[in-house]
């Protein structure tokens, strides 16, 4: 009798683990993103120390190689993971991406060589954003999606605003080991949250296979779907826009705070305040302003406005030489942060319901590629203009790294100015994106033309109006079959 009770109790627990807590919501996605990037943000200071201690003579070269390999792997794997999540569901791939992305954290103090090797390889799974955005697309309609994407992006910004300062304080007060331990525990909490609390968002009728069930390579192969998506002019234009706009942004992240410290002469405390202020403004921009702009001027115009802010911001960074100019440009940079959630909404509206993971994976993969190319591009341009990183004798508390600037340099920040030119091209490309992308097939149309779907989706009806979730990308008023 006791064994039967224990068996039933075990089955109830397993069922609860599989189902999660409540219905899928944006708040599940917000918690997952916050915990993952908060854990990595804590390691900002310890990672600089370990990087220099491990590679004292080639610190920035090795860092560039690590980021390059990681970005390339993300670019290659993001569409694959997104496509598989369209078949098997989002929850299991959230668990996989978060687990392998955070796996290198405890190795930082155990074995630095293995830590940096694992960071490089973890690029294969560092695509949580693509799965998260597909998760949100499953549970929101078109009108709500931009607000949800903005909330997730704002949460990402909030985690990076708070965690580096907390990590730096704990590192200075108690040592790096405590910071690494805390980051590891937060990562474990994120994994447990996904395992126990996050419910599956993809409706059963769209999950054509469960984990462990047989699946053909034609069903799992993302390249067949990639070729079909690549034939969509709208998606291609969006991908080109993302690449041209995020490439300078990725390079900026790698060098901007060092640039403020050595060229504009910001103190470490001023830089910390700058990060906090710009981060808070970014949160406001991606929540309040993004929602208002999407409702008033539309999706495409919001993307164009964000790109316009980015052009102004980069040009100001490149030509400005006074501290007040950096503060003003920082406020403009906060407004430019609306671009990514607006682009994600636009590409989501342009894709079929069964391709949400794939197209979001494409966008995340392109951003990963930029994360590898951008820092190298900025470093090379600084070198061409005689703004060089010299040797580091030791890591100081403020991590000041001496810069040698040629007196003949007329432009304080040439990479930022070139980045502005790149975004101008992105702006021109975005002008050709249709104002109203062609809506994806309705459930009835999908059933009638199964050939338009990837092999796994043949002759499978999409969820109807009686489901708990909105049919993706379908207006509430147009659910009837004709």
């Amino acid at each position: 009798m006791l064994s039967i009770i224990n068996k039933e109790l075990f089955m109830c627990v397993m069922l609860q683990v599989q189902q999660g807590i409540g219905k899928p919501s944006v708040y599940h996605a917000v918690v997952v993103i916050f915990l993952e990037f908060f854990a990595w943000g804590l390691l900002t200071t310890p990672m600089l120390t370990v990087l220099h201690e491990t590679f004292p003579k080639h610190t920035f070269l090795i860092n560039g190689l690590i980021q390059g390999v990681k970005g390339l792997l993300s670019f290659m794997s993001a569409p694959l993971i997104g496509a598989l999540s369209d078949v098997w569901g989002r929850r299991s791939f959230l668990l996989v991406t978060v687990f392998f992305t955070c796996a290198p954290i405890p190795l930082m103090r155990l074995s630095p060589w293995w830590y940096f090797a694992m960071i490089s390889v973890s690029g294969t799974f560092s695509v949580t954003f693509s799965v998260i955005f597909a998760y949100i697309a499953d549970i929101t309609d078109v009108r709500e999606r931009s607000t949800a994407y903005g909330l997730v992006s704002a949460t990402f910004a909030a985690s990076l605003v708070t965690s580096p300062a907390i990590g730096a304080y704990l590192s200075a007060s108690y040592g790096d080991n405590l910071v690494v331990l805390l980051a590891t525990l937060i990562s474990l909490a994120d994994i447990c949250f996904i395992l126990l609390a996050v419910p599956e968002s993809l409706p059963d009728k769209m999950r054509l296979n469960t984990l462990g069930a047989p699946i053909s390579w034609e069903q799992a192969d993302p390249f067949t779907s990639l070729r079909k998506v690549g034939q969509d002019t709208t998606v291609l234009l969006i991908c080109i826009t993302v690449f041209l706009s995020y490439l300078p942004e990725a390079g900026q992240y790698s060098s901007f705070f060092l640039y403020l410290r050595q060229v504009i002469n910001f103190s470490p405390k001023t830089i910390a305040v700058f990060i906090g202020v710009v981060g808070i403004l970014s949160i406001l921009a991606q929540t309040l302003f993004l929602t208002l702009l999407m409702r008033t001027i539309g999706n495409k115009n919001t993307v164009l406005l964000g790109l316009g802010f980015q052009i102004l911001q980069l040009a100001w960074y490149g030509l400005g030489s006074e501290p007040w100019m950096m503060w003003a440009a920082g406020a403009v940079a906060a407004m430019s942060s609306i671009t990514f959630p607006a682009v994600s909404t636009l590409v989501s509206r342009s894709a079929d319901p069964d391709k949400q993971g794939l197209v979001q994976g494409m966008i995340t993969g392109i951003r990963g590629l930029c994360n590898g190319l951008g820092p190298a591009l900025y470093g090379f341009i600084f070198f061409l203009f005689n703004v060089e990183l010299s040797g580091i004798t030791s890591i100081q508390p403020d991590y000041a790294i001496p810069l040698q600037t040629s007196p003949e340099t007329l432009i304080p920040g040439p990479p930022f100015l070139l980045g502005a030119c790149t975004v101008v091209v992105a702006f021109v490309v975005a002008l050709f994106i249709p104002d109203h992308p062609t809506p994806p097939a309705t459930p009835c149309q999908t059933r009638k033309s199964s050939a338009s779907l990837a092999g796994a989706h043949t002759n499978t009806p999409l969820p109807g109006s009686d489901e708990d979730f909105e049919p993706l990308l379908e207006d509430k008023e147009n659910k009837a079959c004709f």
Side-chain angles (χ1 to χ4, degrees):
M1 185 68 177
L2 184 61
S3 62
I4 296 176
I5 295 176
N6 290 336
K7 184 177 180 180
E8 291 180 351
L9 180 61
F10 175 76
M11 294 299 294
C12 290
V13 172
M14 291 303 297
L15 182 62
Q16 181 64 36
V17 168
Q18 291 178 358
Q19 293 179 344
I21 298 177
K23 293 183 178 180
S25 70
V26 176
Y27 301 106
H28 288 102
V30 164
V31 173
V32 171
I33 286 292
F34 181 82
L35 291 177
E36 177 181 339
F37 288 97
F38 188 87
W40 276 107
L42 288 173
L43 298 176
T44 302
T45 295
M47 187 162 61
L48 286 172
T49 305
V50 173
L51 183 66
H52 173 67
E53 291 175 350
T54 309
F55 309 103
K57 294 183 179 180
H58 305 287
T59 303
F60 290 92
L61 174 62
I62 297 299
N63 184 58
L65 291 175
I66 291 172
Q67 296 302 321
V69 172
K70 182 178 179 181
L72 180 62
L73 290 176
S74 296
F75 173 70
M76 296 173 63
S77 66
L80 171 62
I81 292 177
L84 293 179
S85 76
D86 288 333
V87 177
W88 279 329
R90 318 296 183 197
R91 183 172 175 268
S92 57
F93 284 94
L94 275 179
L95 185 63
V96 169
T97 55
V98 172
F99 176 82
F100 284 101
T101 301
C102 296
I105 290 178
L107 296 175
M108 177 178 283
R109 303 308 301 176
L110 298 176
S111 175
W113 282 91
W114 275 107
Y115 168 71
F116 289 113
M118 283 293 293
I119 283 184
S120 300
V121 177
S122 70
T124 306
F125 301 97
S126 298
V127 293
T128 307
F129 260 108
S130 64
V131 184
I132 282 290
F133 279 179
Y135 187 97
I136 291 174
D138 293 340
I139 60 176
T140 57
D141 59 26
V142 176
R143 291 180 293 274
E144 301 170 344
R145 200 161 299 159
S146 61
T147 302
Y149 285 165
L151 182 60
V152 171
S153 298
T155 302
F156 167 72
S159 68
L160 296 185
V161 166
T162 55
S163 56
I166 295 173
Y169 171 77
L170 293 176
S171 178
S173 302
Y174 304 102
D176 290 346
N177 288 339
L178 177 64
V179 181
V180 174
L181 177 61
L182 180 60
T184 302
L185 293 177
I186 292 175
S187 301
L188 290 174
D190 197 11
I191 294 170
C192 291
F193 178 79
I194 297 172
L195 196 60
L196 301 176
V198 175
E200 177 57 58
S201 65
L202 197 65
D204 290 337
K205 291 183 180 180
M206 294 184 67
R207 264 184 291 147
L208 303 179
N209 294 275
T210 57
L211 287 177
I215 179 173
S216 68
W217 174 245
E218 183 183 3
Q219 291 173 308
D221 181 12
F223 297 105
T224 300
S225 300
L226 272 175
R227 285 190 291 270
K228 291 185 178 182
V229 171
Q231 295 170 1
D232 187 330
T233 305
T234 301
V235 175
L236 276 179
L237 290 173
I238 294 173
C239 289
I240 294 172
T241 300
V242 170
F243 178 79
L244 292 174
S245 62
Y246 194 72
L247 183 64
E249 186 175 341
Q252 172 188 314
Y253 287 152
S254 69
S255 59
F256 181 62
F257 299 118
L258 179 61
Y259 175 78
L260 289 179
R261 177 73 181 93
Q262 300 299 334
V263 177
I264 310 300
N265 294 319
F266 271 30
S267 67
K269 291 183 179 179
T270 305
I271 292 176
V273 174
F274 183 91
I275 294 173
V277 171
V278 173
I280 292 172
L281 292 177
S282 298
I283 294 171
L284 294 175
Q286 295 176 48
T287 51
L288 300 179
F289 287 104
L290 178 63
T291 302
L292 180 63
L293 290 171
M294 292 288 289
R295 291 177 178 176
T296 54
I297 66 176
N299 199 161
K300 176 185 172 180
N301 289 331
T302 301
V303 173
L304 293 174
L305 183 62
L307 293 174
F309 280 125
Q310 188 179 2
I311 293 169
L312 178 59
Q313 159 223 332
L314 289 170
W316 215 337
Y317 282 158
L319 297 174
S321 57
E322 298 294 331
W324 71 267
M325 296 180 179
M326 298 298 105
W327 285 100
V332 177
M335 287 303 301
S336 72
S337 66
I338 64 175
T339 304
F340 179 55
V343 165
S344 297
T345 304
L346 191 60
V347 75
S348 177
R349 295 176 60 187
S350 305
D352 290 332
D354 61 311
K355 299 292 192 300
Q356 290 297 314
L358 175 62
V359 294
Q360 295 297 344
M362 290 173 64
I363 298 299
T364 301
I366 290 172
R367 286 168 61 90
L369 181 63
C370 291
N371 283 329
L373 296 177
L377 178 63
Y378 267 50
F380 180 68
I381 297 173
F382 271 127
F383 172 77
L384 289 180
F385 282 81
N386 298 317
V387 181
E388 301 179 17
L389 292 170
S390 63
I392 309 172
T393 55
S394 63
I395 293 290
Q396 302 298 326
D398 57 3
Y399 300 101
I401 302 173
L403 278 174
Q404 297 177 345
T405 308
S406 171
E408 299 177 358
T409 301
L410 299 178
I411 303 174
F416 304 109
L417 200 58
L418 181 63
C421 297
T422 305
V423 181
V424 168
V425 179
F427 185 92
V428 173
V429 172
L431 289 174
F432 294 93
I433 298 174
D435 290 327
H436 303 287
T438 303
T442 64
C444 299
Q445 292 171 329
T446 303
R447 287 193 292 268
K448 292 178 182 178
S449 61
S450 57
S452 65
L453 300 177
H457 303 266
T458 305
N459 298 325
T460 301
L462 298 181
S465 58
D466 59 338
E467 294 291 332
D468 292 335
F469 309 97
E470 287 278 340
L472 303 184
L473 307 177
E474 180 186 4
D475 293 335
K476 293 180 180 179
E477 298 85 355
N478 297 314
K479 292 182 179 178
C481 297
F482 298 99

